[in-house]
Amino acid sequence: MVPLIYLRHALKNSTILVLLLAIVSLGRQLTAQPRAKPQPWIATWGASQQIPEPQNALPPDDLRDATVRQIFHLSAGGAEVRVHLSNAFGTRPLHFTSVYIARPLSTKSAAIDATTDKALTFAGSSEVTIPPSAEFVSDPIEFRVSALSHLAVTFHLDTPPSPETGHPGSRATSYYVHGDSVAAANLHDSKRVDHWYQVSEIDVLSAAGGSAIVALGDSITDGHGATTNANDRWTDVLAARLQASPGNPGIGVSNQGIGGNHLLTDGLGPNALARFDRDVLAPAGVRWLIVFEGVNDLGGLTRTGEVTPAEHAALVKRILAAYNQLIVRAHAHGLRVIGGTITPYVGSDYYHPGPLSEADRQTVNHWIRTAGQFDAIIDFDKTVADPQHPDQMLPIYDSGDHLHPSPAGYRAMGEAVPLDLFAQ
């Protein structure tokens, strides 16, 4: 006769065995089921933040008890939206009493479609206080936006920023009035200014597989010479081409260009290496980085007079080292890095480049094309250069200052970007 204690152990062990077999079977069933890819948040619009220069900053009293309405041109579309508010360069907390989004009626007016107006929240609250040097992302909101459409973001401040954080090179008109008019269908008698303030990024909830491109650059990426409120920078042209391409509609483009920006030194905004984390790594869903910087470093060396060949050689060496650093840091975060060759600028009255400066540009471009450090290249230089005078831009592509492209030049640049670089 089997002792009772052994029967109990046997029953207990058989029960455990049955449970284990059931768990294994369930695991196999779950593994066999295809897993749906999560929908990612991607940056559909972005702008590098800086302290606006004195001539581009608003007087503090203009932003005291003020409503500001700004219009942004989106790249990719999505069913939900969230907005990034920035106090990146503020030294005091910044209080937003309310923030709204809506569809604007035009890129050249403060009027919105009031039926689309919606309040944003931040951790469930309609108001938000952003600490110094920080950024806040709104709660997601159901708000379907189409690719290449526009979004109006309106906020009210009770006290002005100290100092302001913004993006002077907006090439877009913003509107502001005193008082709390965030939900108004129009801001009548508003003041106008062609700059952006305190908004750094707009994200959309994209279809599965969506991702974003960051274009890191200077005024040629920022769009100096582009048409105000027309969205005809080279990055806008690229975004439109991606949306028209059957294989790439879920790709956003974030323009992180700053006018006067340098690779190596601070100028108008922090240098490219200093702003890398905030402007390249932080945007939502970033997968590709286009690096198109260096002309201001090259031109700035001799802006007030020629220097020795040794100083030219030393600058080129530092520029190439900076490129290498950008590539290493981007690769560490899984980004594919694309290098843009530096466009010609002989004839520029601002930089007065001589033969040695042009030789520096050629050396840098040769490295971009042949060193194999970048994952791919975009030959902006050959796109806009005059074949008869390759150290100058083709006149039709020249804005007139022999440094910045015209809208036609920006279109040629945007059309020169191979879309297969962004194969999903």
Side-chain angles (χ1 to χ4, degrees), residues 242-271:
L242 287 166
Q243 294 307 316
S245 171
N248 299 305
I251 296 179
V253 179
S254 177
N255 185 323
Q256 298 292 331
I258 293 180
N261 199 232
H262 292 69
L263 283 164
L264 302 171
T265 57
D266 291 347
L268 302 181
N271 68 76

Side-chain angles (χ1 to χ4, degrees), residues 219-404:
S219 57
I220 301 177
T221 295
D222 200 22
H224 184 95
T227 310
T228 300
N229 295 318
N231 300 298
D232 53 9
R233 313 163 189 81
W234 70 262
T235 53
D236 298 319
V237 176
L238 172 60
R241 291 179 62 222
L242 287 166
Q243 294 307 316
S245 171
N248 299 305
I251 296 179
V253 179
S254 177
N255 185 323
Q256 298 292 331
I258 293 180
N261 199 232
H262 292 69
L263 283 164
L264 302 171
T265 57
D266 291 347
L268 302 181
N271 68 76
L273 291 171
R275 64 190 182 97
F276 186 85
D277 287 3
R278 180 174 61 244
D279 293 349
V280 174
L281 300 182
V286 60
R287 184 174 174 185
W288 299 277
L289 167 64
I290 300 174
V291 177
F292 183 35
E293 288 250 21
V295 70
N296 292 318
D297 299 86
L298 292 172
L301 180 68
T302 60
R303 183 167 177 248
T304 59
E306 188 55 87
V307 298
T308 67
E311 290 175 277
H312 279 274
L315 175 66
V316 168
K317 185 176 181 180
R318 292 184 64 213
I319 287 173
L320 301 185
Y323 285 151
N324 178 261
Q325 284 296 299
L326 294 173
I327 294 166
V328 167
R329 291 171 67 182
H331 281 170
H333 291 269
L335 306 187
R336 183 171 170 82
V337 191
I338 302 161
T341 53
I342 299 174
T343 49
Y345 66 109
V346 163
S348 164
D349 289 335
Y350 187 74
Y351 281 135
H352 316 287
L356 291 179
S357 292
E358 173 60 13
D360 294 343
R361 186 180 75 89
Q362 294 293 346
T363 299
V364 170
N365 281 348
H366 179 75
W367 185 91
I368 292 171
R369 293 183 181 112
T370 65
Q373 297 297 306
F374 286 105
D375 298 308
I377 70 158
I378 304 167
D379 211 333
F380 290 132
D381 172 30
K382 289 186 176 179
T383 298
V384 302
D386 185 340
Q388 303 302 316
H389 306 281
D391 59 356
Q392 302 173 34
M393 271 191 282
L394 197 67
I396 194 174
Y397 293 157
D398 191 340
S399 68
D401 66 3
H402 312 303
L403 174 63
H404 299 96

Side-chain angles (χ1 to χ4, degrees), residues 43-49 73 196 199-202 253-257:
T44 184
W45 173 88
S48 303
Q49 301 301 292
H73 180 64
W196 285 315
V199 179
S200 60
E201 182 173 322
I202 299 171
V253 179
S254 177
N255 185 323
Q256 298 292 331

Side-chain angles (χ1 to χ4, degrees), residues 198-223:
Q198 315 298 153
V199 179
S200 60
E201 182 173 322
I202 299 171
D203 301 334
V204 291
L205 191 63
S206 175
S211 45
I213 303 164
V214 164
L216 182 70
D218 47 43
S219 57
I220 301 177
T221 295
D222 200 22

Side-chain angles (χ1 to χ4, degrees), residues 68-72 83 99-101 151-155 199 202:
V68 180
R69 179 166 291 166
Q70 304 176 93
I71 298 172
F72 305 101
V83 175
V99 186
Y100 278 60
I101 60 173
L151 185 71
V153 178
T154 309
F155 60 75
V199 179
I202 299 171

